[in-house]
Amino acid sequence: MASVQHEISDSDSKELGPATSYEKGFASNVTPGAPGAVVVAEDPAAPSQQVSSGRQSLSDVFTIFCAGFALISDGYQNNLMTMTNVLFRQEYKKEYTSAVSTQVSNALLVGEILGQIVIGLTCDYLGRKTAIIITTLMIVIGGILATAAHGITILGMFWMITIARGVVGFGTGGEYPASSTSASEAANEHALKRRGPIFILVTNLPLSFGGPLAVIVFLIVLKICSEQHLSTVWRVCFGIGCLLPLTVFYFRIKMLNSKLYRRGAIKRRVPYKLVIRYYWKSLIGTCGAWFLYDFVTFPNGVFSGTIISSIVKDNSLLKTAEYQLLLGSIALPGVFLGAYLCDILGRKNTMMLGFSGYLVFGLIIGCSYDKITKILPLFVIFYGLMQSSGNLGPGDMLGLLSSESYATAVRGTCYGISAALGKTGAAVGTEVFTPIQNHLGKRWTFIIAAICGVAGILVTFFFVKDVRGDDLANEDEAFRAFLVKNGWEGEMGEEDLRAFAKEGIPGGVSTDTDGYGRREDEGLELGSGSGDEEKKGL
């Protein structure tokens, strides 16, 4: 992005107002379109007069790492029912029917869908920090309610667990847009060239690690309590889920909203019609691909323990948990491979590669189900490879693409909508998983996964933007220019970097869009017009 240097007059400072006033002097290396950017003599890298460069940098680092630690709890909660479903079937054989199992499992999903939409909007309107604090509290409160679940009857207890899991789901669902957008924006400021791999390692890696972690915790608690006290086992496992998000709660209270958010936020009169017009194709891509991914991966995660349990000869709870741990461990390498490939192949190609794994391994398992299940370790290995390919492709790329394809002003909202459509797919997949097994046979759950892999490749190819890790500020400037061109004159930003949208559109920015939110002349560097044009824009 072009460097700009010019003198700021007193009149310029008065026009911007006290919240975004410049210090009189020279503004060098000013990001085009950031009227609030300021050079303080003692701290040239400071984003504004109110925030020092050291404080902003420290906040970015803690935001990145805290996102990872917090999302471990999300992964834990998402996978907690895998072994708990098996336990409930043994402990409450009469009461825990397939209908009750689906009810309890779907409670988290329904909560997550609501959380992703509500918190997606919240983190755009009120800020990433406020949204993150709300999600943490919801996870803790819901976890406490689930741990203490009781009822006059066993079915009453399951209804309380259902409600509690819904509350937890609201929190874990909200973490997706809140933590992921803040981590992406912080990584953009702190390590732009490595933003993609860093984002994956602090989002999908902890989410995926939550699966093996939930099984490890279950095995430890089961070993301590024994199979004679299964009620204690599941309550302790639920209770541990409350502790994980609290480990980073203090640091999240102290975090700052990102510099991108403080400059690009739209808190009033959000032009949603223009947003849809600008990003309609990207939304179809991220929403459709996420729906297909979660339709496959979530029910296969929730019911994988039940599938393995049905194959284990002695129906041992311990043996089932051990194979479940192996399954989760095999799925993890895909996360690292996706992080490595995202910059080499590009996000779009990597995601299509992952979906192709559903096609290959889904057909292998589905077509040879009767034979392969007689060799349990081989079945678990191929099952794990199918899940690993999901992590490599859509698991890694969907969050990354959803955080990079949209401007900061609507990043949380578009991310939340995409993730919510994904969880809708998960809810549908969970609802139809057992009927498919009962009416078509267990092999068809894998064959349908292969079909979804083909659909995922097509949706990705035709609708997903090919992002290569450009500065997120570029997308913000193009989106802002598009809004101004179409008559929107609202205010953008907050606190120290607030300004009207029409202030600071750099020369050379095209406002034409192909539906991806991508300019037709995307190769043109922002701010690459003449110096006079840039000064006029600023």
Side-chain angles (χ1 to χ4, degrees), residues 68-146:
F69 279 102
L71 287 170
I72 288 177
S73 76
D74 284 29
Y76 180 87
Q77 294 289 354
N78 285 338
N79 292 276
L80 186 56
M81 292 306 299
T82 300
M83 287 309 303
T84 307
N85 270 327
V86 180
L87 183 153
F88 282 162
R89 288 183 188 278
Q90 289 196 19
E91 180 72 356
Y92 311 104
K93 294 178 181 178
K94 293 182 179 180
E95 295 85 359
Y96 201 67
T97 62
S98 60
V100 175
S101 173
T102 302
Q103 167 192 306
V104 173
S105 298
N106 269 351
L108 186 79
L109 293 174
V110 173
E112 285 186 331
I113 293 169
L114 293 173
Q116 284 162 345
I117 294 173
V118 173
I119 299 299
L121 289 167
T122 300
C123 73
D124 281 342
Y125 275 107
L126 302 180
R128 314 313 193 206
K129 177 179 176 178
T130 301
I132 283 171
I133 291 173
I134 293 172
T135 59
T136 302
L137 292 175
M138 295 297 285
I139 293 170
V140 173
I141 293 169
I144 292 172
L145 290 174

Side-chain angles (χ1 to χ4, degrees), residues 364-375:
I364 289 174
I365 298 171
C367 294
S368 62
Y369 187 83
D370 291 336
K371 293 182 178 179
I372 200 171
T373 51
K374 293 178 181 178
I375 311 171

